[in-house]
Amino acid sequence: MISKSDIRYTLRMLAKTPGFTLLSILVLAGGLGVSILAFTFNYTMFYKPIPLENGDKIFHICAGPESYSCRYMKAFEFSEIRDEITAIENIGIYHQTRIVVEVEDVPVSLEATSTEWNMFQLSETSPILGRGLLPGDQLPGAEPVIVFGYGFWQQHLNGEPDAIDSIVDINGEPTRIVGIMPEGYQFPWRTPAWLPVRADVVSPAVNGTVPVETYGLLRSGYSVADANAEIATLMQRIRSQYPAEESEGVQLCRGASLDCDTGHISTFPLAEFTSVVTFLMITLASVLTGFIFLLAAISVGTLLLARTNERLRDTSVRVALGAPRIRLLLQMMGESVAIAIAGAVLGILLA
């Protein structure tokens, strides 16, 4: 049982050697702080659900194996399997496109998202002005429309409510502004505008090489493993229907190739990083971070061991005088525990 005198003894011994105590705490805090920071960064960037309603159930449907990275789907092949996917609902496609918007005769170039109408329903977010996209907006011959983000509305349209239903030129084509999204809304990525995707991209007539990105909501009662197995099976069937020839020295579904024979679902942040180099860098950074923390723990352990060895004579004398060994052990452990707690608190604050 630890007594108040044991605690006072521990604090007195730590205060007796402030340099050793401070060094041990800083080494441990530094290693722990770096480890926590790296873990938090990786989790937030790749695995944390996006900050939307049902964000933990919103996924990117990818071509390629889980162990590799998220590959784009072929627009034609995805149109062939999307109606057969049962584990995912509210499925749609999108792709990034660069547009030029003329505002008061001043051209503004920006990256926009060309998407299906149900993207806003998926994210359960409504415009603060006007409306979102509708199914009829992506039909052939429909009037061109656009939904702008809050930032673009404030910066280039002066935050005027009468911007709704006004006409702007986009890539030289008159386009009606139908909605303004709330401040901070950026799904699926940082984008200031949303356009209806063309019908020939949603349902291509020929099996071309047009790549698309996808989204969907995991149905209740289904797991990520269920969805992965289903999509992998559908992609294998597609590849058997539309075989692809493997060029010499080039593996299918690697690099820029779209001819994958498997698939899976991925979080949106993780799906954005499709480069193998990125994955290798993140993995290497995680391993190095682990080694930094391990090195810090070993260094502190070595310092404590050296301190214990210095006090062997004092400990031997106290044992000879009849001091209980369990009490001596608790007192020595008390210093380690105190240093560990102080290092952990400081490490968390640093992170």
Side-chain angles (χ1 to χ4, degrees):
M1 185 71 178
I2 299 177
S3 64
K4 291 183 180 181
S5 61
D6 292 330
I7 297 176
R8 287 195 298 268
Y9 176 81
T10 297
L11 296 177
R12 189 167 61 251
M13 294 305 295
L14 290 174
K16 190 176 180 180
T17 53
F20 164 82
T21 302
L22 183 60
L23 178 62
S24 300
I25 292 174
L26 290 179
V27 170
L28 184 60
L32 183 61
V34 170
S35 301
I36 294 175
L37 180 61
F39 171 80
T40 304
F41 175 80
N42 288 346
Y43 174 72
T44 302
M45 287 296 295
F46 300 111
Y47 302 105
K48 184 179 180 180
I50 54 179
L52 294 171
E53 292 293 331
N54 293 322
D56 58 331
K57 294 184 178 180
I58 296 177
F59 286 91
H60 202 298
I61 305 174
C62 309
E66 295 179 68
S67 58
Y68 201 69
S69 61
C70 188
R71 294 297 180 203
Y72 296 136
M73 289 279 189
K74 275 187 177 180
F76 177 84
E77 294 181 353
F78 188 68
S79 69
E80 291 281 292
I81 68 170
R82 63 181 292 172
D83 291 337
E84 300 180 48
I85 300 175
T86 59
I88 306 290
E89 60 184 343
N90 210 336
I91 295 173
I93 65 172
Y94 72 97
H95 62 87
Q96 302 299 110
T97 181
R98 180 153 291 278
I99 62 175
V100 177
V101 183
E102 287 194 20
V103 181
E104 298 179 353
D105 297 327
V106 177
V108 179
S109 177
L110 53 93
E111 196 79 20
T113 299
S114 182
T115 180
E116 290 193 60
W117 66 275
N118 63 347
M119 176 173 281
F120 300 131
Q121 282 70 26
L122 175 77
S123 61
E124 298 188 6
T125 307
S126 300
I128 57 173
L129 289 176
R131 63 172 177 84
L133 301 178
L134 299 176
D137 293 333
Q138 60 193 55
L139 296 178
E143 178 187 25
V145 298
I146 189 169
V147 175
F148 280 119
Y150 184 88
F152 185 91
W153 176 55
Q154 289 289 323
Q155 183 177 357
H156 298 285
L157 302 176
N158 301 318
E160 295 291 341
D162 58 5
I164 299 298
D165 283 334
S166 63
I167 303 296
V168 293
D169 279 351
I170 297 181
N171 296 338
E173 182 178 34
T175 303
R176 186 176 300 278
I177 302 174
V178 296
I180 303 296
M181 295 305 293
E183 184 176 7
Y185 182 84
Q186 297 179 336
F187 185 75
W189 201 238
R190 299 180 63 87
T191 182
W194 296 263
L195 300 161
V197 69
R198 300 196 319 268
D200 61 339
V201 178
V202 178
S203 301
V206 296
N207 188 4
T209 58
V210 177
V212 292
E213 297 185 81
T214 62
Y215 55 81
L217 187 72
L218 187 66
R219 288 183 187 272
S220 298
Y222 287 87
S223 66
V224 172
D226 295 332
N228 287 341
E230 182 179 43
I231 294 168
T233 300
L234 292 172
M235 288 298 294
Q236 289 171 5
R237 193 203 71 197
I238 280 291
R239 190 56 52 236
S240 64
Q241 286 181 272
Y242 305 99
E245 295 184 3
E246 190 167 322
S247 303
E248 183 177 353
V250 178
Q251 291 181 297
L252 296 180
C253 201
R254 297 293 187 271
S257 174
L258 295 171
D259 298 312
C260 296
D261 59 359
T262 187
H264 66 283
I265 64 175
S266 171
T267 63
F268 262 81
L270 188 60
E272 292 295 331
F273 294 86
T274 57
S275 168
V276 178
V277 176
T278 301
F279 274 91
L280 291 176
M281 290 178 61
I282 294 298
T283 302
L284 180 60
S286 299
V287 172
L288 290 176
T289 300
F291 276 119
I292 290 174
F293 177 69
L294 182 61
L295 181 61
I298 292 174
S299 299
V300 173
T302 302
L303 289 172
L304 290 173
L305 180 61
R307 181 178 175 82
T308 301
N309 289 334
E310 288 180 0
R311 294 169 55 190
L312 283 178
R313 171 182 282 184
D314 177 65
T315 304
S316 300
V317 171
R318 295 178 66 189
V319 170
L321 293 175
R325 297 191 178 189
I326 186 65
R327 186 174 183 183
L328 294 176
L329 179 61
L330 289 175
Q331 288 177 348
M332 287 188 292
M333 286 181 59
E335 295 183 48
S336 301
V337 171
I339 289 173
I341 292 175
V345 171
L346 183 58
I348 292 172
L349 292 176
L350 289 174

